[in-house]
């Protein structure tokens, strides 16, 4: 790979030219990394609902043409000036948010919201010079979440790259780079359910199921899954969900149903749908005195959350989290080791697999609600 260092690489990328239209396989030019940047050869990527949400452009600023993708695994092809902790050939996970290791957030043990590299969904260029590293016939193709993994090669800021165990199978651990860590970390790092506790998980997609998995790993005795899609309930049993509630089955707020089921409310709740009504229900269903609700789902940009202040005064706690409170470079290698030690099972999240040339099938699976995670093999 060193023979391509410092040179423009031509490769395949799945380009979104406009909102909601199938991705088009194009030959793109990928520029060499600049200072504090790394060029990666992506071997496996997967489709997250966030990619679909911004591809549809229904709730935010549309930026096109764009290369989506932010859940992936690959190897370092070359590094830019000033990069000292990564070398060509290293196995890595690109992460949609970063860790500069120098700002107040990175130095805090309580935060992972890096000042320099926190998520910016509107930015389609590199932060160092405001330019894209992708082009077709000299015209820029925009980045997504600083990762753009729907390309055989991509350029990422060094702070958004986690170096991992080279023995870890990239076609499995690639899902750790977004959804699984987000849900699992929301449970084990933020909600922290005590052993024997009762946990409600709102939204049983991949992130919600990862949250259920984290609740089970923490020792929760009852895990109640809440979702309006009854087809998800059977699958959720594999992830530790013990009971199911469909809000559509009741003519009263689901938080009242849950409080009745649990003698006053659940000990912890984790909201993973992005629905504001689910967020309110997740907060209002926790027990007074000690209940903790954690918000994970990303709402519409104009969404408003309303609840009565007395819900706080009776000692309920509401928390938010981003990426499960994991710091990408410091913490994610240890999450990969959990998988290697068989403490974290990833295979059950992976429901489909397609070659890169058929990437649009992954979108179809997710839009139909048929997949949790579809692995895209970049060599196909």
């Amino acid at each position: 790979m060193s023979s391509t260092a410092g040179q423009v690489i031509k490769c395949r990328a799945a380009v979104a030219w406009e909102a909601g239209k199938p991705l088009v396989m194009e030959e793109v030019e990928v520029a060499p990394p600049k200072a504090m940047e790394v060029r990666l050869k992506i071997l496996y990527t997967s489709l997250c609902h966030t990619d679909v949400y911004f591809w549809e452009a229904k709730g935010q600023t549309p930026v096109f043409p764009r290369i989506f993708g932010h859940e992936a695994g690959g190897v370092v092809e070359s590094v830019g000036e000033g990069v000292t902790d990564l070398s060509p050939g290293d196995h890595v996970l690109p992460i949609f948010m970063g860790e500069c290791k120098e700002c107040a957030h990175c130095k805090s043990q309580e935060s992972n919201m890096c000042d320099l590299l926190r998520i910016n969904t509107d930015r389609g260029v590199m932060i160092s010079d405001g330019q894209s590293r992708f082009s077709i016939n000299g015209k820029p193709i925009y980045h997504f979440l600083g990762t753009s993994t729907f390309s055989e090669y991509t350029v990422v800021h060094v702070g958004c790259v986690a170096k991992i165990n080279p023995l870890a199978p990239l076609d499995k651990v690639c899902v750790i780079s977004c959804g699984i860590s987000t849900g699992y970390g929301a449970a084990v790092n933020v909600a922290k359910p005590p052993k024997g506790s009762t946990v409600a998980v709102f939204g049983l997609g991949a992130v919600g199921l990862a949250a259920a998995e984290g609740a089970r790993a923490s020792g929760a005795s009852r895990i109640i899954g809440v979702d309006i899609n009854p087809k998800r309930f059977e699958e959720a049993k594999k992830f530790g969900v013990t009971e199911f509630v469909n809000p559509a089955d009741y003519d009263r707020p689901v938080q009242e149903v849950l409080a009745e089921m649990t003698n006053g409310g659940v000990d912890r709740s984790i909201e993973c749908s992005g629905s504001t009504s689910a967020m309110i229900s997740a907060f209002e269903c926790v027990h007074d005195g000690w209940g903790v609700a954690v918000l994970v789902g990303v709402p519409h940009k104009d969404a408003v959350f309303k609840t009565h202040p007395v819900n706080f005064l009776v000692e309920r706690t509401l928390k938010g989290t981003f990426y499960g409170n994991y710091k990408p470079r410091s913490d994610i290698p240890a999450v990969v080791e959990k998988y290697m030690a068989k403490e974290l099972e990833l295979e059950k999240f992976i429901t489909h697999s397609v070659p890169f040339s058929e990437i649009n099938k992954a979108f179809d699976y997710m839009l139909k609600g048929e997949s949790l995670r579809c692995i895209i093999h970049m060599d196909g």
Side-chain angles (χ1 to χ4, degrees):
M1 285 187 292
S2 60
S3 63
T4 53
Q7 301 179 24
V8 171
I9 290 178
K10 291 185 177 182
C11 69
R12 291 184 303 164
V15 177
W17 288 100
E18 53 185 307
K21 296 294 177 68
L23 306 188
V24 180
M25 202 62 66
E26 304 278 10
E27 182 181 77
V28 299
E29 294 190 339
V30 185
K34 296 193 176 182
M36 303 308 291
E37 296 175 358
V38 184
R39 188 160 59 184
L40 308 179
K41 179 179 174 63
I42 300 297
L43 299 178
Y44 300 95
T45 187
S46 61
L47 179 65
C48 171
H49 189 265
T50 303
D51 294 306
V52 176
Y53 181 69
F54 283 88
W55 166 73
E56 291 178 320
K58 289 181 177 176
Q60 70 302 112
T61 307
V63 180
F64 295 95
R66 201 171 205 181
I67 298 173
F68 286 102
H70 64 283
E71 210 175 72
V75 296
V76 175
E77 177 269 336
S78 61
V79 302
E81 182 183 347
V83 176
T84 57
D85 54 352
L86 289 171
S87 302
D90 284 346
H91 286 221
V92 296
L93 302 181
I95 312 286
F96 64 91
M97 60 185 293
E99 180 186 356
C100 72
K101 297 193 175 184
E102 296 175 1
C103 70
H105 285 275
C106 286
K107 290 179 178 178
S108 165
Q109 293 186 346
E110 298 181 38
S111 174
N112 67 343
M113 300 296 294
C114 175
D115 280 331
L116 178 67
L117 299 168
R118 69 175 58 188
I119 186 172
N120 182 335
T121 57
D122 292 341
R123 186 175 62 231
V125 293
M126 301 300 290
I127 61 172
S128 64
D129 62 358
Q131 301 293 314
S132 173
R133 301 290 176 264
F134 299 109
S135 62
I136 297 179
N137 297 325
K139 294 183 178 179
I141 307 296
Y142 295 108
H143 295 248
F144 178 62
L145 298 186
T147 51
S148 291
T149 62
F150 294 166
S151 174
E152 291 175 318
Y153 289 85
T154 188
V155 177
V156 181
H157 190 284
V158 66
C160 299
V161 181
K163 180 180 175 180
I164 63 166
N165 185 342
L167 299 178
L170 289 170
D171 60 334
K172 306 293 191 301
V173 299
C174 63
V175 298
I176 289 174
S177 61
C178 179
I180 308 312
S181 297
T182 295
Y184 190 84
V188 300
N189 295 336
V190 187
K192 298 179 181 176
K195 286 189 177 179
S197 60
T198 299
V199 178
V201 176
F202 287 73
L204 298 178
V207 175
L209 294 176
E213 188 82 0
R216 175 165 66 178
S218 300
S221 60
R222 291 177 72 185
I223 302 173
I224 305 169
V226 183
D227 201 296
I228 56 174
N229 182 355
K231 293 178 182 177
R232 288 180 164 172
F233 291 166
E234 193 61 35
E235 180 85 17
K237 292 178 183 176
K238 300 177 189 174
F239 300 86
V241 175
T242 56
E243 299 160 69
F244 307 99
V245 173
N246 184 342
D249 291 342
Y250 300 90
D251 56 5
R252 56 193 170 122
V254 72
Q255 52 265 47
E256 294 180 12
V257 176
L258 291 165
E260 191 175 277
M261 289 172 61
T262 56
N263 193 28
V266 299
D267 302 303
R268 301 289 187 268
S269 71
I270 307 171
E271 185 285 318
C272 302
S273 71
S275 157
T276 49
S277 62
M279 292 176 182
I280 294 166
S281 297
F283 177 50
E284 296 182 355
C285 79
V286 299
H287 206 290
D288 56 10
W290 62 80
V292 178
V294 178
L295 304 187
V296 180
V298 179
H300 188 280
K301 65 181 176 66
D302 298 322
V304 175
F305 179 103
K306 292 182 180 180
T307 190
H308 198 283
V310 77
N311 288 317
F312 293 96
L313 297 177
V314 295
E315 299 179 6
R316 293 184 177 97
T317 298
L318 179 64
K319 292 184 173 185
T321 180
F322 220 87
Y323 195 50
N325 210 226
Y326 286 118
K327 293 179 186 285
R329 299 160 84 183
S330 299
D331 298 337
I332 291 307
V335 180
V336 171
E337 292 307 316
K338 275 185 176 290
Y339 169 76
M340 297 297 283
K342 297 184 166 53
E343 295 172 23
L344 175 62
E345 195 178 334
L346 298 177
E347 284 80 0
K348 59 190 175 184
F349 289 97
I350 299 168
T351 53
H352 295 78
S353 175
V354 297
F356 188 36
S357 59
E358 298 177 16
I359 189 172
N360 287 302
K361 282 187 178 178
F363 281 75
D364 293 339
Y365 292 139
M366 184 162 283
L367 290 168
K368 292 175 183 175
E370 295 175 358
S371 69
L372 291 176
R373 281 295 182 267
C374 178
I375 302 298
I376 298 155
H377 298 248
M378 300 302 286
D379 61 355

